[in-house]
C-alpha cells in the first residue's frame, strides 16, 4: 500500500526540481516548490532556444511516468538515432586551419536500433514541467532569499527562514537549487570544485544538409565541438574551448557573423554544408562542482546542487533525473516506521547514486583532460584507444548502456 505522509519542500524549480516535486507528491502529504524566480512561461514561437538537453531513454521514462513527456510539444523533440564521434586531436586541425578530410580521422559510431536520446529545448521542457505542476496539487511559490536552515529537530522537522521573517517547516528539504546551491551551503556541506579554465560556446544554426538524426562530436586539441540535431535542418552547437578562445569566438560573432559561422563550419569539417546562425551566441563558463555529501537527516541534494559536471557528454540533467528516480523508489518502499526524511532511507539513496555520479564526473573529466594534452603518451592513448574503442562493439554497447541508463 502506498504511504503518503510527510511534508516536502523542494528548493529550486529547474528541470530537476520540478520533476522531483511531481515524483514525491505520489508519496507525501504535501509538496511545495520554491524558487527565487517565476516559472518560465515563454512562448516557444518560431525561434529555437539555444539552451538544449539531450535526454536519455531513462530520463524520458521518468518524465513519462510523471505526465510531463506527453506535454512536450512533439514538434520540438528530435530523436538522436546515432552518434558519430571523431578524434581530430593529432591531425593538426583547429577551426582556423584547413580541415582534414573527415574520412581520414579516427571515428566511433554509436547506434542501438532505437533512439539514443531526444533533443529538447530548455523552454519546451520547462513549459511541459510547468504544465504538469499546475495540473497537480504541488504548490509553487516565488520566495525571497533564504536566511537560515535549521538542523532536523526531535520530530524530524527542518525550518527554512526567509528574508522578511517568513518560516517554512517540513520533514524533507530537497536542495535542487543548482551548482551554486544555497541549501547545500546552509546545510554546511563542502564541495570539491575544479575550474576547467574553459567555456562552452552555445548557439543554433540552420544547415544546408540534413543531419539525419545524427549527433556529431569532434574532439580536438582545441576543445570539443558537438552538433546536436534540432527539428528540420537545424542544429544546436556546444563548443567547449579555452576561456580566451570562447571570448574570441563570441567577439567574432559580434563583429563578423560570417567569419564566426565559417569557423563553426570548419570545426565540423563542413559536415552539414553551409550554416546560418539563428540564435544569440552565448558563452557558459565550465567547472565541476561535486558535493562531498548529498544527504543529511531531513535533507537531500539532487541535480546540479549535488553534481555539476562538464557538459561534453550531455549528462547533467540525466544524472539529476537518475537521482529523482532513486529517491522516489526509496521513499515509495520505506517502512511504516520511517519518516520521509529518514536518514537511513536517504543514505540508501546516496549509496545508489554514488557510482553513476562518480563514473560520469570522472569520465567527462578525463576525456576533456586527455584531449587537451600534447605529450606523446596522451597522443598514443588517444590514437590507439579511440581506434580500439571504435572497433569494439561490446565496449560501445557498454558505454551507451551506461549513458542511456543515467
Ligand atoms: C552548455 C551546456 C550543455 C548542456 N547539455 C546538457 C544535455 O545535453 N543533457 C543534459 O542532461 N544536461 C546538459 N547540461 C546540464 C544541465 O543544464 C544541468 O545539469 C541542469 O540544468 C541541472 O538542472 P537543475 O534543475 O539541477 O539545476 P538548474 O537548472 O540550475 O536549476 C536550479 C533552479 O534553482 C533556482 N535557485 C537557485 N538558487 C536558489 C535559491 N537560493 N532559492 C530558490 N531558488 C533557487 C534557480 O532559479 C533555478 O530555477 C548542459 C549544461 C551546459 C552548461
Amino acid at each position: 500500500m502506498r504511504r503518503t505522509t510527510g511534508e516536502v519542500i523542494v528548493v529550486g524549480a529547474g528541470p530537476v526540481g520540478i520533476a522531483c516535486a511531481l515524483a514525491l507528491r505520489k508519496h507525501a502529504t504535501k509538496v511545495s516548490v520554491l524558487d527565487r524566480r517565476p516559472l518560465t512561461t515563454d512562448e516557444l514561437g518560431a525561434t529555437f532556444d539555444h539552451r538544449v538537453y539531450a535526454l536519455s531513454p531513462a530520463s524520458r521514462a521518468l518524465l513519462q511516468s510523471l505526465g510531463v513527456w506527453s506535454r512536450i510539444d512533439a514538434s520540438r523533440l528530435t530523436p538522436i538515432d546515432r552518434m558519430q564521434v571523431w578524434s581530430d586531436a593529432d591531425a593538426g586541425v583547429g577551426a582556423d586551419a584547413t580541415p582534414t578530410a573527415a574520412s581520414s580521422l579516427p571515428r566511433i559510431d554509436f547506434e542501438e536500433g532505437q533512439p539514443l536520446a531526444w533533443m529538447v529545448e530548455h523552454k519546451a521542457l520547462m513549459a511541459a514541467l510547468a504544465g504538469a505542476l499546475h495540473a497537480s496539487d504541488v504548490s509553487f511559490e516565488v520566495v525571497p532569499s533564504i536566511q537560515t536552515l535549521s538542523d532536523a529537530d526531535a520530530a524530524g522537522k527542518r525550518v527554512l527562514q526567509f528574508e522578511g521573517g517568513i518560516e517554512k517547516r517540513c520533514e524533507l528539504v530537497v536542495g535542487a537549487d543548482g551548482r551554486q546551491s544555497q541549501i547545500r551551503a546552509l546545510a554546511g556541506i563542502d564541495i570539491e570544485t575544479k575550474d576547467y579554465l574553459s567555456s562552452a560556446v552555445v548557439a543554433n544554426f540552420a544547415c544546408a544538409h540534413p543531419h539525419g538524426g545524427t549527433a556529431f562530436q569532434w574532439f580536438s586539441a582545441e576543445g570539443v565541438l558537438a552538433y546536436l540535431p534540432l527539428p528540420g535542418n537545424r542544429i544546436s552547437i556546444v563548443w567547449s574551448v579555452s576561456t580566451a578562445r570562447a571570448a574570441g569566438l563570441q567577439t567574432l560573432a559580434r563583429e563578423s557573423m560570417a567569419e564566426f559561422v565559417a569557423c563553426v563550419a570548419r570545426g565540423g569539417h563542413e559536415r552539414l554544408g553551409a550554416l546560418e546562425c539563428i540564435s544569440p551566441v552565448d558563452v557558459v563558463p565550465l567547472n565541476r562542482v561535486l558535493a562531498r555529501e548529498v544527504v543529511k537527516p531531513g535533507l537531500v541534494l539532487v541535480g546540479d546542487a549535488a553534481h555539476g559536471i562538464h557538459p561534453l557528454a550531455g549528462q547533467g540533467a540525466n544524472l539529476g533525473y537518475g537521482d529523482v528516480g532513486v529517491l522516489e523508489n526509496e521513499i515509495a518502499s520505506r517502512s511504516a516506521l520511517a519518516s520521509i526524511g529518514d536518514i537511513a532511507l536517504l543514505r540508501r539513496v546516496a549509496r545508489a547514486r554514488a557510482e553513476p555520479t562518480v563514473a560520469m564526473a570522472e569520465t567527462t573529466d578525463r576525456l576533456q583532460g586527455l584531449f587537451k594534452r600534447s605529450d606523446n603518451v596522451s597522443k598514443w592513448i588517444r590514437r590507439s584507444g579511440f581506434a580500439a574503442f571504435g572497433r569494439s562493439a561490446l565496449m560501445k554497447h557498454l558505454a551507451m548502456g551506461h549513458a542511456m541508463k543515467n
Side-chain angles (χ1 to χ4, degrees):
M1 199 180 75
R2 184 187 283 176
R3 289 180 61 215
T4 49
T5 56
E7 292 191 13
V8 179
I9 292 179
V10 179
V11 180
V16 176
I18 297 183
C20 191
L22 292 169
L24 298 194
R25 178 61 189 97
K26 297 185 220 164
H27 315 286
T29 322
K30 186 175 169 215
V31 179
S32 324
V33 188
L34 315 178
D35 204 291
R36 55 187 174 196
R37 290 196 298 244
L39 289 175
T40 315
T41 50
D42 301 357
E43 285 292 316
L44 285 171
T47 57
F48 283 78
D49 189 359
H50 56 306
R51 183 169 166 192
V52 296
Y53 303 98
L55 295 180
S56 68
S59 296
R60 177 179 182 250
L62 177 89
L63 294 172
Q64 278 172 330
S65 76
L66 302 176
V68 173
W69 192 262
S70 56
R71 290 175 181 271
I72 301 177
D73 181 343
S75 70
R76 309 309 278 255
L77 275 169
T78 313
I80 299 182
D81 294 321
R82 66 195 68 76
M83 270 188 79
Q84 294 185 344
V85 184
W86 281 268
S87 166
D88 289 8
D90 308 304
V93 176
D96 296 331
T98 313
T100 306
S103 56
S104 67
L105 297 171
R107 179 176 118 188
I108 306 175
D109 287 5
F110 295 95
E111 200 162 353
E112 291 278 309
Q114 56 177 313
L116 304 171
W118 285 263
M119 292 305 302
V120 58
E121 296 148 76
H122 174 74
K123 280 183 191 165
L125 177 60
M126 290 308 293
L129 285 161
L133 194 71
H134 291 319
S136 76
D137 64 358
V138 173
S139 64
F140 171 76
E141 203 181 321
V142 175
V143 286
S145 172
I146 305 165
Q147 303 288 288
T148 58
L149 168 66
S150 75
D151 287 340
D153 64 16
K157 297 223 175 194
R158 282 187 178 259
V159 182
L160 282 157
Q161 196 177 52
F162 298 83
E163 208 176 68
I166 310 159
E167 282 189 358
K168 290 184 186 291
R169 198 174 287 268
C170 65
E171 282 155 295
L172 179 64
V173 174
V174 180
D177 49 346
R179 262 169 215 244
Q180 310 301 328
S181 173
Q182 199 190 356
I183 289 295
R184 189 180 62 208
L186 288 170
I189 295 177
D190 283 342
I191 49 172
E192 180 207 308
T193 58
K194 181 168 183 175
D195 187 346
Y196 287 121
L197 306 173
S198 52
S199 297
V201 178
V202 290
N204 291 347
F205 293 82
C207 41
H209 304 321
H211 48 63
T214 306
F216 303 92
Q217 199 170 31
W218 291 269
F219 283 82
S220 76
E222 185 184 40
V224 188
L225 172 62
Y227 281 9
L228 304 162
L230 290 182
N233 279 10
R234 298 181 191 89
I235 54 164
S236 191
I237 71 151
V238 179
W239 199 356
S240 313
V241 288
S242 73
T243 304
R245 175 70 173 148
L249 285 167
Q250 199 177 34
T251 306
L252 188 62
R254 253 195 317 269
E255 291 172 357
S256 167
M257 182 51 87
E259 279 183 52
F260 169 73
V261 170
C263 231
V264 174
R266 275 198 304 274
H269 298 269
E270 323 280 353
R271 195 76 180 76
L272 297 176
L275 302 178
E276 180 200 349
C277 188
I278 54 169
S279 75
V281 177
D282 270 351
V283 166
V284 186
L286 299 178
N287 59 9
R288 181 169 102 156
V289 182
L290 298 179
R292 289 196 196 275
E293 292 168 280
V294 294
V295 300
K296 288 203 164 193
L299 181 123
V300 59
L301 302 178
V302 294
D304 277 17
H307 39 64
I309 60 170
H310 196 291
L312 72 82
Q315 289 295 327
N318 290 317
L319 264 188
Y321 288 140
D323 301 340
V324 173
V326 168
L327 180 62
E328 186 194 345
N329 284 342
E330 286 297 340
I331 285 178
S333 57
R334 71 191 188 277
S335 78
L337 295 175
S339 75
I340 203 161
D342 179 68
I343 188 61
L345 174 169
L346 296 176
R347 284 206 184 107
R348 286 197 294 279
V349 175
R351 276 197 296 276
R353 295 309 293 153
E355 192 270 334
T357 302
V358 170
M360 194 50 73
E362 287 303 305
T363 305
T364 49
D365 186 64
R366 288 191 187 162
L367 268 176
Q368 68 79 36
L370 179 64
F371 280 84
K372 267 186 188 166
R373 290 198 284 269
S374 58
D375 59 283
N376 286 336
V377 174
S378 298
K379 284 183 183 171
W380 180 81
I381 295 173
R382 285 197 293 253
R383 262 196 317 273
S384 52
F386 214 84
F389 197 96
R391 281 192 304 272
S392 168
L394 176 65
M395 272 162 69
K396 285 193 289 187
H397 184 72
L398 290 174
M400 258 353 275
H402 194 78
M404 290 166 83
K405 263 194 329 218
N406 269 311

